[in-house]
Amino acid sequence: MKEWRFRVFLDDSEIGYHHFRLTETGSVTRLTSKAEFDVTFMKIPVFTYRHENIENWNSGCLESITSVTNENGTHYRVEGGAEDHGFQLAATAGEAVLPACISTFAYWDKSFLQHGNLLNSQTGEYLPVEVEYLGEHTLDTGEPDALAHRYRLDADDLDLELWYSQEGHWLALQSTVDSGRLLRYVLE
C-alpha cells in the first residue's frame, strides 16, 4: 500500500486536504482518494469542495471509475468501465464511449504524463493535454537541497505544475485557479 496525504493551501491559507491510497491485489491496482476544501472570508464560508473517487487499473489502463463531487453546491457523478468496444462512461454531463486504454489525471503514476488525452475524474470530460518538462528544481520537502523534476500540464482551463522525486515519486502539485490565486498541495 502507498499513501499520499496532502495538506491543501489557497495562497498561504490552509483550506483542507486531499488523501490518496493505492493498493495492489494481483494485477489490479486500486486508487481511492478523498478531498475536502473549505474557503472562508471573515469566517463566512465562500467555497466548499468534497470529492471521493475510486479507480481500478490494470496494466496501465483505467478499468473502472466511480466518483462523486460537490463543488460549491454543483454535484457531479462519474461512472465508467472498460468494455470490449472501449471505455463506457456515464457522467453528469452525459454518456460516451472512449478508447479502450485511457488514463485519468493519475498524478501518483508519472507515466500518465505520456497520454495525449486524460479523463477528468470530477466532471467526466475527456480532455486533450499538453505536457512540458520544466527541468530540475529545488523543492522544500524537509530534505536539504532536494531536487525534483517539474512538469507543467495544460488541459482546457487547467494549468497544473507537478513535482516528482529523482525516483519518480509524486511530491507536490500547484495550480492557478480562476480567481488568480495559487492552489498548492503539500505532503504531510
Side-chain angles (χ1 to χ4, degrees):
M1 180 179 70
K2 296 179 186 174
E3 282 190 305
W4 295 265
R5 298 175 66 83
F6 290 97
R7 295 168 47 210
V8 178
F9 293 82
L10 187 59
D11 295 329
D12 293 326
S13 299
E14 188 167 352
I15 61 168
Y17 68 87
H18 200 159
H19 296 166
F20 299 81
R21 175 178 286 163
L22 196 66
T23 55
E24 296 184 48
T25 307
S27 64
V28 176
T29 300
R30 173 174 276 210
L31 175 79
T32 58
S33 71
K34 183 176 182 178
E36 292 189 8
F37 308 160
D38 292 296
V39 179
T40 60
F41 179 71
M42 298 182 70
K43 298 186 181 185
I44 299 170
V46 294
F47 180 81
T48 59
Y49 179 84
R50 303 290 184 266
H51 176 74
E52 291 188 38
N53 183 37
I54 299 171
E55 300 174 6
N56 290 302
W57 294 78
N58 194 342
S59 301
C61 297
L62 184 66
E63 288 287 309
S64 66
I65 185 170
T66 302
S67 78
V68 291
T69 307
N70 178 346
E71 182 181 20
N72 217 32
T74 301
H75 296 271
Y76 300 94
R77 183 167 190 82
V78 175
E79 292 188 33
E83 304 283 340
D84 290 339
H85 60 280
F87 192 90
Q88 184 69 43
L89 183 72
T92 303
E95 296 184 5
V97 177
L98 303 176
C101 183
I102 64 170
S103 177
T104 60
F105 286 76
Y107 309 123
W108 51 273
D109 180 2
K110 187 177 159 190
S111 69
F112 93 98
L113 294 170
Q114 299 169 8
H115 288 263
N117 290 284
L118 296 170
L119 178 64
N120 182 323
S121 65
Q122 174 182 317
T123 64
E125 296 171 286
Y126 192 56
L127 302 170
V129 296
E130 292 183 22
V131 176
E132 177 184 3
Y133 178 61
L134 301 176
E136 288 185 336
H137 296 268
T138 302
L139 181 66
D140 183 10
T141 61
E143 301 284 327
D145 301 322
L147 282 180
H149 295 280
R150 185 174 170 194
Y151 296 84
R152 172 172 286 126
L153 189 146
D154 288 313
D156 197 27
D157 60 350
L158 297 173
D159 182 13
L160 303 169
E161 290 187 14
L162 300 158
W163 285 263
Y164 294 91
S165 71
Q166 298 297 317
E167 298 79 27
H169 302 292
W170 181 30
L171 300 172
L173 173 149
Q174 77 176 24
S175 177
T176 303
V177 294
D178 292 339
S179 61
R181 300 174 75 185
L182 188 64
L183 182 75
R184 297 181 299 120
Y185 280 33
V186 177
L187 275 174
E188 290 182 357

